Amino acid sequence: MNYVFYISAAAACLATLMVITRAHAVHALLYLAVSLLAVAMTFFSLGAPFAAALEVIVYAGAILVLFVFVIFLLDLRGPAAQVVPHQLLAVHLLRVLRGGLPH
């Protein structure tokens, strides 16, 4: 049971580091879920199954759902969402060269 503790603790530390270093909010949220589940596994391996269950229900369940709603309500698309895709760039250039106004 000792090896389960060390593996889950290492996974929690690695996932938490990935949460801090990710620029994309949804990816950071997924790593946060992995981190919280690894912490719950750490609690369970230490002999505290009630704390592990609370970790999963309260944090990985409720708080992460709240974070998902906040991320999608904020609409965090940056200027990259307004760039013309590469597939449509040729069509756009042909319209400009033919004298038409770009749409």
Side-chain angles (χ1 to χ4, degrees), residues 7-18:
I7 291 172
S8 61
C13 291
L14 182 65
T16 304
L17 183 66
M18 296 297 280

Side-chain angles (χ1 to χ4, degrees), residues 3-101:
Y3 60 89
V4 175
F5 171 77
Y6 287 118
I7 291 172
S8 61
C13 291
L14 182 65
T16 304
L17 183 66
M18 296 297 280
V19 168
I20 295 169
T21 59
R22 296 299 100 184
H24 198 270
V26 176
H27 295 167
L29 187 66
L30 290 173
Y31 283 119
L32 182 63
V34 171
S35 174
L36 291 173
L37 291 175
V39 169
M41 189 63 199
T42 304
F43 282 144
F44 188 76
S45 69
L46 289 174
F50 184 71
L54 285 179
E55 179 86 20
V56 170
I57 292 170
V58 173
Y59 290 113
I63 301 297
L64 286 180
V65 169
L66 177 69
F67 284 171
V68 168
F69 284 133
V70 168
I71 286 172
F72 288 121
L73 285 175
L74 286 178
D75 193 24
L76 296 175
R77 288 181 287 180
Q82 300 169 354
V83 175
V84 176
H86 294 295
Q87 294 86 7
L88 299 176
L89 187 58
V91 174
H92 181 70
L93 288 176
L94 285 175
R95 284 184 185 163
V96 170
L97 291 175
R98 286 179 41 197
L101 293 174

